[in-house]
Amino acid sequence: MKPVLLAVVAALAVAAAVAPVGSATNECHGIQSCIRVPGPWVIVPAHGTADYLLTCPNGRSVVGGLDAQATTRDVRVSFDGRLGAPVQPGQTTTRYAFFHGVNVSATRQAFQPLLGCIPTQGGGGRSTVSARVVPVGQSLEYRSRIVVVGPGDVKFGRVACQKTEKLVDGWHAMAFRTKQPPNLANVGLVSARHAVVGKKVVVTASSTDALSPDAHAIVQVGAECAP
């Protein structure tokens, strides 16, 4: 099971997700030393969901703020937070954030996850807390790889948990690395599927020759790992 979604923090992320595309974003609001990390535009199927893992740079910072933009207000975005108190960077968040998008419209849409990262000395490891009655297990760790997709490509990507971890599940996401919302007509020119093979998650990504190189299409493959 995924980590508990912290309702208060998730509500802030949902509110941010419905801001109009192109408006000022708030991932660094109120943070003095902040590194802005814009993610790609992640495609969300009609009446479907999409997950995306976005990481702070260089492993020397933790997530201090989050935001998102979308192509419609019918896309709702939240993220997984970690158990612990108080709710704060390095406790609720770590060096990455796992975004979850839900599309309630009848057409495919997209969202762009955004991080505000705070530089640290230690790199922002995970933190958990033990309950007094029945302690829960450690929060899941997320691993991912990016596959760049060009015109007429057929590519494979794989990701695995660390040796001391157990593979729980996997995911893949189709996205476009553009500053503005992508042309959603390009979505039909790229396809991807993933499968769990042994202890790895393997994705197959392909595209037609009609895909423009300027689309900057990528596919993320990810693994959910239990420490």
Side-chain angles (χ1 to χ4, degrees):
M1 184 176 292
K2 294 181 178 179
V4 174
L5 186 65
L6 298 176
V8 175
V9 183
L12 295 176
V14 171
V18 298
V21 173
S23 63
T25 55
N26 298 305
E27 65 273 17
C28 283
H29 181 72
I31 303 175
Q32 291 184 351
S33 180
C34 184
I35 305 169
R36 294 182 183 272
V37 181
W41 287 89
V42 181
I43 303 303
V44 192
H47 297 299
T49 64
D51 298 324
Y52 196 85
L53 185 70
L54 190 58
T55 304
C56 289
N58 303 323
R60 298 178 182 175
S61 54
V62 296
V63 177
L66 304 98
D67 205 345
Q69 300 186 107
T71 53
T72 173
R73 298 174 79 90
D74 287 331
V75 174
R76 318 298 166 84
V77 180
S78 60
F79 77 100
D80 283 346
R82 295 175 180 270
L83 295 174
V87 175
Q88 64 181 12
Q91 176 70 28
T92 311
T93 63
T94 179
R95 67 187 184 279
Y96 55 69
F98 190 61
F99 288 83
H100 182 66
V102 178
N103 181 9
V104 299
S105 78
T107 58
R108 65 169 66 100
Q109 299 293 337
F111 75 91
Q112 182 187 36
L114 304 161
L115 294 182
C117 297
I118 303 173
T120 64
Q121 296 295 327
R126 67 176 182 265
S127 178
T128 59
V129 61
S130 296
R132 291 182 179 275
V133 180
V134 180
V136 300
Q138 291 181 338
S139 299
L140 295 181
E141 293 286 350
Y142 298 97
R143 317 288 180 193
S144 69
R145 294 289 184 273
I146 296 294
V147 178
V148 178
V149 183
D153 276 346
V154 177
K155 289 189 174 181
F156 303 90
R158 58 182 59 85
V159 63
C161 299
Q162 295 183 354
K163 292 182 178 179
T164 57
E165 298 171 339
K166 180 180 179 180
L167 177 62
V168 177
D169 202 357
W171 81 90
H172 78 269
M174 186 189 308
F176 296 86
R177 283 177 168 162
T178 54
K179 291 183 179 180
Q180 298 299 320
N183 181 351
L184 295 179
N186 286 321
V187 177
L189 305 179
V190 182
S191 63
R193 64 181 186 273
H194 77 271
V196 174
V197 181
K199 296 183 178 180
K200 297 180 180 180
V201 183
V202 180
V203 69
T204 303
S206 61
S207 65
T208 70
D209 293 332
L211 179 69
S212 169
D214 295 332
H216 301 291
I218 63 171
V219 172
Q220 182 183 73
V221 57
E224 300 177 14
C225 307

mmCIF file of all heavy atoms in Angstrom, residues 6 10 19 32 54 58 75 85-87 91-92 109 113-114 119 127-128 145 168 188 213-214 225:
data_model
loop_
_atom_site.group_PDB
_atom_site.id
_atom_site.type_symbol
_atom_site.label_atom_id
_atom_site.label_comp_id
_atom_site.label_asym_id
_atom_site.label_seq_id
_atom_site.Cartn_x
_atom_site.Cartn_y
_atom_site.Cartn_z
ATOM 1 N N LEU A 6 -1.220 12.796 3.211
ATOM 2 C CA LEU A 6 -1.525 13.769 4.242
ATOM 3 C C LEU A 6 -2.567 14.741 3.716
ATOM 4 O O LEU A 6 -2.332 15.471 2.758
ATOM 5 C CB LEU A 6 -0.262 14.523 4.649
ATOM 6 C CG LEU A 6 0.819 13.619 5.256
ATOM 7 C CD1 LEU A 6 2.059 14.426 5.548
ATOM 8 C CD2 LEU A 6 0.308 12.963 6.523
ATOM 9 N N ALA A 10 -2.044 17.647 0.966
ATOM 10 C CA ALA A 10 -2.610 17.300 -0.337
ATOM 11 C C ALA A 10 -3.604 18.346 -0.783
ATOM 12 O O ALA A 10 -3.706 18.657 -1.975
ATOM 13 C CB ALA A 10 -3.277 15.932 -0.273
ATOM 14 N N ALA A 19 -4.779 26.048 -10.719
ATOM 15 C CA ALA A 19 -4.432 27.391 -11.172
ATOM 16 C C ALA A 19 -4.364 27.419 -12.685
ATOM 17 O O ALA A 19 -3.976 26.444 -13.317
ATOM 18 C CB ALA A 19 -3.084 27.796 -10.586
ATOM 19 N N GLN A 32 13.085 31.065 1.396
ATOM 20 C CA GLN A 32 14.151 32.013 1.088
ATOM 21 C C GLN A 32 15.157 31.447 0.096
ATOM 22 O O GLN A 32 15.511 32.086 -0.892
ATOM 23 C CB GLN A 32 14.861 32.452 2.373
ATOM 24 C CG GLN A 32 14.001 33.318 3.278
ATOM 25 C CD GLN A 32 14.762 33.818 4.494
ATOM 26 O OE1 GLN A 32 15.880 33.386 4.760
ATOM 27 N NE2 GLN A 32 14.162 34.730 5.237
ATOM 28 N N LEU A 54 9.097 13.179 -9.433
ATOM 29 C CA LEU A 54 9.950 14.330 -9.736
ATOM 30 C C LEU A 54 10.956 14.503 -8.600
ATOM 31 O O LEU A 54 10.574 14.492 -7.422
ATOM 32 C CB LEU A 54 9.107 15.588 -9.904
ATOM 33 C CG LEU A 54 9.813 16.827 -10.460
ATOM 34 C CD1 LEU A 54 10.431 16.554 -11.825
ATOM 35 C CD2 LEU A 54 8.840 17.997 -10.544
ATOM 36 N N ASN A 58 20.709 16.824 -7.889
ATOM 37 C CA ASN A 58 22.012 16.526 -7.289
ATOM 38 C C ASN A 58 21.958 15.791 -5.960
ATOM 39 O O ASN A 58 22.995 15.576 -5.339
ATOM 40 C CB ASN A 58 22.825 17.810 -7.102
ATOM 41 C CG ASN A 58 23.022 18.562 -8.405
ATOM 42 O OD1 ASN A 58 23.201 17.941 -9.457
ATOM 43 N ND2 ASN A 58 22.960 19.883 -8.355
ATOM 44 N N VAL A 75 -8.418 18.323 -14.079
ATOM 45 C CA VAL A 75 -7.294 17.515 -13.599
ATOM 46 C C VAL A 75 -7.004 17.904 -12.145
ATOM 47 O O VAL A 75 -6.798 19.078 -11.829
ATOM 48 C CB VAL A 75 -6.042 17.733 -14.469
ATOM 49 C CG1 VAL A 75 -4.839 17.001 -13.863
ATOM 50 C CG2 VAL A 75 -6.286 17.235 -15.889
ATOM 51 N N ALA A 85 5.915 13.642 12.530
ATOM 52 C CA ALA A 85 5.571 14.954 13.051
ATOM 53 C C ALA A 85 6.852 15.676 13.468
ATOM 54 O O ALA A 85 7.810 15.041 13.900
ATOM 55 C CB ALA A 85 4.631 14.812 14.259
ATOM 56 N N PRO A 86 6.880 16.993 13.307
ATOM 57 C CA PRO A 86 5.846 17.811 12.679
ATOM 58 C C PRO A 86 5.864 17.663 11.162
ATOM 59 O O PRO A 86 6.807 17.122 10.595
ATOM 60 C CB PRO A 86 6.245 19.234 13.083
ATOM 61 C CG PRO A 86 7.739 19.171 13.200
ATOM 62 C CD PRO A 86 8.030 17.800 13.770
ATOM 63 N N VAL A 87 4.805 18.153 10.515
ATOM 64 C CA VAL A 87 4.766 18.144 9.056
ATOM 65 C C VAL A 87 5.731 19.210 8.541
ATOM 66 O O VAL A 87 5.537 20.394 8.788
ATOM 67 C CB VAL A 87 3.332 18.433 8.548
ATOM 68 C CG1 VAL A 87 3.310 18.540 7.034
ATOM 69 C CG2 VAL A 87 2.374 17.353 9.015
ATOM 70 N N GLN A 91 10.783 15.637 6.679
ATOM 71 C CA GLN A 91 9.982 14.718 7.497
ATOM 72 C C GLN A 91 8.791 14.217 6.673
ATOM 73 O O GLN A 91 8.640 13.024 6.448
ATOM 74 C CB GLN A 91 9.473 15.429 8.757
ATOM 75 C CG GLN A 91 8.552 14.578 9.626
ATOM 76 C CD GLN A 91 9.278 13.449 10.325
ATOM 77 O OE1 GLN A 91 10.467 13.547 10.611
ATOM 78 N NE2 GLN A 91 8.570 12.364 10.603
ATOM 79 N N THR A 92 7.974 15.153 6.215
ATOM 80 C CA THR A 92 6.858 14.803 5.347
ATOM 81 C C THR A 92 7.332 14.522 3.925
ATOM 82 O O THR A 92 6.775 13.698 3.212
ATOM 83 C CB THR A 92 5.833 15.952 5.318
ATOM 84 O OG1 THR A 92 5.546 16.352 6.659
ATOM 85 C CG2 THR A 92 4.549 15.531 4.611
ATOM 86 N N GLN A 109 -5.834 14.774 -20.972
ATOM 87 C CA GLN A 109 -5.335 16.078 -20.554
ATOM 88 C C GLN A 109 -3.903 15.916 -20.056
ATOM 89 O O GLN A 109 -3.313 14.832 -20.174
ATOM 90 C CB GLN A 109 -6.232 16.683 -19.476
ATOM 91 C CG GLN A 109 -7.671 16.924 -19.903
ATOM 92 C CD GLN A 109 -7.810 17.987 -20.963
ATOM 93 O OE1 GLN A 109 -6.949 18.860 -21.125
ATOM 94 N NE2 GLN A 109 -8.899 17.930 -21.731
ATOM 95 N N PRO A 113 4.019 18.819 -12.963
ATOM 96 C CA PRO A 113 4.402 18.893 -11.556
ATOM 97 C C PRO A 113 5.556 19.870 -11.366
ATOM 98 O O PRO A 113 6.419 20.019 -12.235
ATOM 99 C CB PRO A 113 4.833 17.457 -11.227
ATOM 100 C CG PRO A 113 5.320 16.916 -12.542
ATOM 101 C CD PRO A 113 4.479 17.569 -13.606
ATOM 102 N N LEU A 114 5.577 20.544 -10.222
ATOM 103 C CA LEU A 114 6.591 21.553 -9.927
ATOM 104 C C LEU A 114 7.097 21.369 -8.501
ATOM 105 O O LEU A 114 6.309 21.185 -7.573
ATOM 106 C CB LEU A 114 6.006 22.960 -10.082
ATOM 107 C CG LEU A 114 5.378 23.285 -11.441
ATOM 108 C CD1 LEU A 114 4.445 24.481 -11.317
ATOM 109 C CD2 LEU A 114 6.456 23.551 -12.481
ATOM 110 N N PRO A 119 18.111 23.495 -0.443
ATOM 111 C CA PRO A 119 19.446 22.883 -0.324
ATOM 112 C C PRO A 119 19.718 22.446 1.110
ATOM 113 O O PRO A 119 19.347 23.114 2.072
ATOM 114 C CB PRO A 119 20.389 24.021 -0.741
ATOM 115 C CG PRO A 119 19.539 24.949 -1.537
ATOM 116 C CD PRO A 119 18.172 24.874 -0.927
ATOM 117 N N SER A 127 12.547 9.839 6.798
ATOM 118 C CA SER A 127 12.312 9.849 8.228
ATOM 119 C C SER A 127 10.982 9.181 8.504
ATOM 120 O O SER A 127 9.987 9.460 7.839
ATOM 121 C CB SER A 127 12.296 11.282 8.766
ATOM 122 O OG SER A 127 12.027 11.306 10.147
ATOM 123 N N THR A 128 10.941 8.301 9.463
ATOM 124 C CA THR A 128 9.702 7.620 9.819
ATOM 125 C C THR A 128 9.490 7.724 11.322
ATOM 126 O O THR A 128 10.362 8.135 12.080
ATOM 127 C CB THR A 128 9.749 6.138 9.424
ATOM 128 O OG1 THR A 128 10.868 5.511 10.102
ATOM 129 C CG2 THR A 128 9.952 5.973 7.923
ATOM 130 N N ARG A 145 13.327 5.696 -14.070
ATOM 131 C CA ARG A 145 14.224 5.951 -15.193
ATOM 132 C C ARG A 145 13.412 6.635 -16.295
ATOM 133 O O ARG A 145 12.212 6.460 -16.394
ATOM 134 C CB ARG A 145 14.829 4.648 -15.733
ATOM 135 C CG ARG A 145 15.766 3.936 -14.774
ATOM 136 C CD ARG A 145 17.084 4.679 -14.598
ATOM 137 N NE ARG A 145 18.015 3.944 -13.746
ATOM 138 C CZ ARG A 145 18.058 4.020 -12.421
ATOM 139 N NH1 ARG A 145 17.195 4.812 -11.781
ATOM 140 N NH2 ARG A 145 18.925 3.318 -11.731
ATOM 141 N N VAL A 168 7.193 -3.816 -5.002
ATOM 142 C CA VAL A 168 5.767 -3.870 -4.683
ATOM 143 C C VAL A 168 4.922 -3.728 -5.941
ATOM 144 O O VAL A 168 3.986 -4.489 -6.176
ATOM 145 C CB VAL A 168 5.391 -2.761 -3.677
ATOM 146 C CG1 VAL A 168 3.888 -2.771 -3.399
ATOM 147 C CG2 VAL A 168 6.176 -2.936 -2.381
ATOM 148 N N GLY A 188 -1.294 10.507 -29.349
ATOM 149 C CA GLY A 188 -1.636 9.319 -30.107
ATOM 150 C C GLY A 188 -0.513 8.772 -30.954
ATOM 151 O O GLY A 188 -0.623 7.668 -31.501
ATOM 152 N N PRO A 213 10.367 15.755 -33.628
ATOM 153 C CA PRO A 213 11.426 15.818 -32.610
ATOM 154 C C PRO A 213 11.195 16.949 -31.612
ATOM 155 O O PRO A 213 11.649 16.879 -30.468
ATOM 156 C CB PRO A 213 12.693 16.053 -33.434
ATOM 157 C CG PRO A 213 12.359 15.572 -34.808
ATOM 158 C CD PRO A 213 10.908 15.860 -34.993
ATOM 159 N N ASP A 214 10.481 17.999 -32.049
ATOM 160 C CA ASP A 214 10.207 19.132 -31.173
ATOM 161 C C ASP A 214 9.171 18.806 -30.103
ATOM 162 O O ASP A 214 8.932 19.629 -29.215
ATOM 163 C CB ASP A 214 9.722 20.319 -31.997
ATOM 164 C CG ASP A 214 10.793 20.844 -32.941
ATOM 165 O OD1 ASP A 214 11.993 20.686 -32.614
ATOM 166 O OD2 ASP A 214 10.436 21.403 -34.002
ATOM 167 N N CYS A 225 9.076 0.446 -4.088
ATOM 168 C CA CYS A 225 9.949 -0.480 -3.360
ATOM 169 C C CYS A 225 9.722 -0.386 -1.850
ATOM 170 O O CYS A 225 9.669 0.710 -1.288
ATOM 171 C CB CYS A 225 11.407 -0.166 -3.683
ATOM 172 S SG CYS A 225 11.780 -0.108 -5.447
#
